[in-house]
Amino acid sequence: MPTALPAAGAPSRPAQASWVGGDGWFPLLRASMRALSRVAPPLAVALFDRIWFSAPRTPPRPEAAAWLARGEPMPFRVHGHRVNAWSWGRGPTVLLVHGWGGNAGQMHALIAQLLERGLRVVAFDAPAHGSSDPSRLGGRRVSMIEIADALRVVAAGVGPIAGLVAHSGGCTATALALRDGWTGPERIAFVAPFALPSEAIEPFGRAIGASLAVTARFRALVEHRFARPWTDFDMPGLAARRALPPLLVVHDRDDREVPFFHGHAVAEAWPQARLAETGGLGHRRLLRDPSVVADIVAFMASGQPDPGRATPADARAELDRAYAAAGLDCGKSMPA
């Protein structure tokens, strides 16, 4: 899930996803892709495919690891693979969904304040991320579809969900789950949402040195593999398909990984949305900024549902739907 679009007003330069590689071998990758695009296009398409769907495993920082150590472990199984989750506190549940290449501890700055508001917090490592198992694709490869499946299974197992906070690609997976029928939470906060994957393919292809023909073949390959158009992964169109909960969008104008216009597009399209702009925080420091954290926590707390509105039957029904949608055996997929 590369984020290869340049930020508005930024100096012109080849866009590069942060996990593709350092300066040492990225030029070699570009040169290799250019050569393969000319002499062996199928190999270039295969390389493009591997890069796009390969997520880095980033270990949690010490403070994040300390929060995970204090959480209650909640392992799940998604498509036969282990997905690790953690829970803190009691009360209406807020689910944290990290971004591409992130981990469950990435939004640890939110946990303490959410707990102070009487909310329970649940976070999980997506497939092929953090401490969770590889996905069905193997190795570091994973798709947004499988991450969305994991989100639904975890949410069903710990729900009902009062609120959800997602970052970057976690927003993409959340929107995909909603598009595919997930009931969803009472309210949502998207931080630096990767809202328009279909528009990132060509810029990313240019960044890694792929020819236009190779990029087009990669686009067609993925649509055939998943039997759905790339526009299914775009977030703004979701508002025309279903009712949606209140939304807070936080995006930094200096984000070099997911440009600001992504967040703006979501906020413009989504009913009951509020866009909070920041400057100078980039793509990840947003998650630790005190003012951003306070804004998100206040938004989540303002929507605390009456505990009497949710029943065990509600959670069980959503659990059954989530497992069925993911093609899982409900009896084997409960938390271990």
Side-chain angles (χ1 to χ4, degrees), residues 256-273:
R256 300 303 301 246
E257 294 190 35
V258 180
F260 176 79
F261 75 81
H262 282 247
H264 185 268
V266 175
E268 283 285 300
W270 195 296
Q272 304 182 75

Side-chain angles (χ1 to χ4, degrees), residues 94-148:
V94 174
L95 182 62
L96 307 181
V97 186
H98 67 73
W100 187 258
N103 58 73
Q106 202 163 27
M107 287 185 274
H108 66 86
L110 292 165
I111 299 174
Q113 292 192 36
L114 289 170
L115 295 179
E116 289 174 3
R117 297 295 190 103
L119 295 163
R120 176 194 185 204
V121 181
V122 174
F124 69 98
D125 283 334
H129 287 73
S131 63
S132 289
D133 284 351
S135 76
R136 290 180 296 179
L137 297 179
R140 296 190 294 113
R141 290 165 52 78
V142 65
S143 73
M144 279 295 161
I145 294 174
E146 192 159 356
I147 295 174

Side-chain angles (χ1 to χ4, degrees), residues 25-306:
W25 68 272
F26 187 65
L28 177 60
L29 169 65
R30 286 172 55 84
S32 299
M33 181 64 83
R34 288 196 186 101
L36 289 173
S37 292
R38 291 194 302 270
V39 303
L43 293 180
V45 173
L47 179 58
F48 197 133
D49 185 70
R50 176 164 292 277
I51 295 169
W52 183 277
F53 288 105
S54 293
R57 284 190 185 263
T58 55
R61 296 185 176 191
E63 187 175 355
W67 270 107
L68 294 178
R70 293 199 292 269
E72 175 189 353
M74 302 184 70
F76 292 84
R77 300 203 67 83
V78 179
H79 302 301
H81 299 266
R82 184 184 178 99
V83 167
N84 291 321
W86 293 262
S87 174
W88 300 264
R90 296 290 183 269
T93 300
V94 174
L95 182 62
L96 307 181
V97 186
H98 67 73
W100 187 258
N103 58 73
Q106 202 163 27
M107 287 185 274
H108 66 86
L110 292 165
I111 299 174
Q113 292 192 36
L114 289 170
L115 295 179
E116 289 174 3
R117 297 295 190 103
L119 295 163
R120 176 194 185 204
V121 181
V122 174
F124 69 98
D125 283 334
H129 287 73
S131 63
S132 289
D133 284 351
S135 76
R136 290 180 296 179
L137 297 179
R140 296 190 294 113
R141 290 165 52 78
V142 65
S143 73
M144 279 295 161
I145 294 174
E146 192 159 356
I147 295 174
D149 287 346
L151 185 161
R152 295 181 67 174
V153 169
V154 173
V158 304
I161 303 298
L164 179 146
V165 184
H167 177 239
S168 191
C171 307
T172 320
T174 299
L176 184 61
L178 291 167
R179 177 183 289 271
D180 289 346
W182 179 44
T183 302
E186 296 282 336
R187 56 186 48 226
I188 296 173
F190 285 154
V191 184
F194 181 51
L196 296 161
S198 70
E199 296 187 14
I201 303 167
E202 280 71 23
F204 187 76
R206 291 194 298 271
I208 62 174
S211 68
L212 290 176
V214 164
T215 301
R217 289 176 64 173
F218 166 74
R219 178 187 285 271
L221 171 69
V222 174
E223 290 189 332
H224 177 75
R225 176 188 297 155
F226 296 128
R228 61 195 308 164
W230 273 96
T231 51
D232 267 11
F233 300 92
D234 292 343
M235 297 169 61
L238 184 60
R241 300 178 63 93
R242 57 164 293 166
L244 295 168
L247 172 70
L248 171 66
V249 179
V250 185
H251 214 128
D252 193 85
R253 284 198 169 273
D254 300 315
D255 192 327
R256 300 303 301 246
E257 294 190 35
V258 180
F260 176 79
F261 75 81
H262 282 247
H264 185 268
V266 175
E268 283 285 300
W270 195 296
Q272 304 182 75
R274 174 168 68 88
L275 175 61
E277 302 179 20
T278 64
L281 295 176
H283 189 61
R284 293 181 179 81
R285 278 194 295 148
L286 280 170
L287 300 174
R288 303 187 301 275
D289 180 75
S291 62
V292 171
V293 168
D295 198 7
I296 293 172
V297 169
F299 181 72
M300 289 291 116
S302 67
Q304 285 192 39
D306 179 351

